[in-house]
Amino acid sequence: PPDSAKDFWPWEKALWLTIDSARVDSLVADMVSAHVWLEPTLTMEYHFGRAIDPPIETPYLRRPPSLRAVLFMRGSTNVAVAPSYPDTWRRQSAFVGDFVKRGGMVVAGSDGKAPGIDLHEEMWLIGDVTGSRMKGLQAATGNAAIALNRTDVGTIERGKLADAVVYSTDPLSQHWASLRITQVLKGGVVHQASDLRMEFEAEYAAAARAVWRGRMIRLLPFLGAGLLSAVAIVTLWRRRRRVRGSVSL
């Protein structure tokens, strides 16, 4: 594969458009028989080449951060819009749907730009391409626990960790319903979702301020040099005006 990201993505997408259907069928069969777990990262593929914003339905922030803000928090200001590949998405989603239909197991992992928020979209997309929202939910809970060899989490059962979320509505009823959390049960302790959101907002605001301070500190030497240059130019300009005034007298 190409070394640069610029060349890699067109190369990777071209593989999906040119691969032989018989080879795909054989690959799915081999994966299912070998009990291979598939993490399709559909969120990344679905949005490839689009302007990505975390969904407005998210309750984590009153104003969800844009992709540009998320990248800024990570130290980058470059938001490159890549070309889109709609035909590739259709083949990728069909591959995942066929894999699950034939007995394959998927786990949810978005590989997206808005951690946490993207996972909910991944659950929705898995449910969409498989025709079962329950499979999307299981991909992020029970299936994920099994794939990680964690027998203490993943489902609500006697003897497992008392970790759960409480919803205001059925999380399978509609898109993004999984974001409407009212309570979080962690280690047997109940936390109100509204309190957790306030904590998250405060932490996000503090992190944003820290990023701004760090960048300003790094810019100080350049700002200082620029300020000194400006003062020198103004001083020189004033001296020339005084000299010209003396000569005219």
Side-chain angles (χ1 to χ4, degrees):
D3 295 330
S4 68
K6 179 182 178 181
D7 298 327
F8 172 81
W9 288 112
W11 172 84
E12 190 263 354
K13 300 303 176 185
L15 291 179
W16 282 99
L17 298 176
T18 58
I19 192 169
D20 182 74
S21 297
R23 293 184 62 186
V24 173
D25 184 75
S26 176
L27 175 62
V28 171
D30 290 342
M31 291 175 66
V32 173
S33 63
H35 304 289
V36 173
W37 293 86
L38 175 63
E39 184 183 345
T41 62
L42 292 176
T43 296
M44 188 67 164
E45 303 296 343
Y46 179 74
H47 285 292
F48 196 90
R50 307 183 188 190
I52 309 173
D53 281 339
I56 59 173
E57 293 87 346
T58 175
Y60 295 117
L61 291 172
R62 292 187 181 89
R63 292 185 178 182
S66 65
L67 173 60
R68 189 176 297 276
V70 171
L71 292 180
F72 176 80
M73 290 285 288
R74 295 183 178 183
S76 173
T77 56
N78 181 28
V79 181
V81 178
S84 59
Y85 302 89
D87 294 334
T88 301
W89 163 251
R90 283 191 285 272
R91 298 203 66 174
Q92 289 174 312
S93 59
F95 175 85
V96 177
D98 186 43
F99 176 78
V100 173
K101 183 179 180 180
R102 293 164 65 175
M105 304 294 285
V106 293
V107 294
S110 66
D111 195 27
K113 298 294 185 181
I117 298 172
D118 281 331
L119 183 61
H120 291 267
E121 183 171 36
E122 184 74 10
M123 292 161 53
W124 160 56
L125 288 172
I126 291 175
D128 192 44
V129 302
T130 62
S132 170
R133 289 176 180 166
M134 177 59 78
K135 290 188 182 298
L137 183 62
Q138 290 172 333
T141 53
N143 289 3
I146 295 173
L148 294 172
N149 293 319
R150 291 289 301 272
T151 59
D152 56 340
V153 295
T155 56
I156 300 176
E157 298 179 60
R158 183 182 297 275
K160 293 194 175 184
L161 295 180
D163 294 348
V165 291
V166 179
Y167 293 100
S168 60
T169 185
D170 182 358
L172 303 178
S173 62
Q174 55 185 300
H175 295 336
W176 305 115
S178 61
L179 284 168
R180 297 170 187 157
I181 299 170
T182 58
Q183 292 178 318
V184 176
L185 186 66
K186 179 65 176 175
V189 179
V190 178
H191 303 272
Q192 298 301 320
S194 57
D195 295 337
L196 296 178
R197 290 175 191 130
M198 290 179 61
E199 292 180 14
F200 179 81
E201 289 182 4
E203 291 177 3
Y204 186 89
R209 289 193 296 270
V211 170
W212 277 108
R213 283 196 298 269
R215 292 199 167 193
M216 290 302 296
I217 290 173
R218 289 194 294 272
L219 287 174
L220 280 178
F222 302 99
L223 293 175
L227 181 60
L228 289 175
S229 299
V231 171
I233 291 172
V234 171
T235 302
L236 180 61
W237 177 73
R238 287 181 175 178
R239 286 180 179 177
R240 287 184 176 179
R241 287 197 61 183
R242 286 199 297 269
V243 170
R244 288 178 181 177
S246 300
V247 171
S248 62
L249 290 173

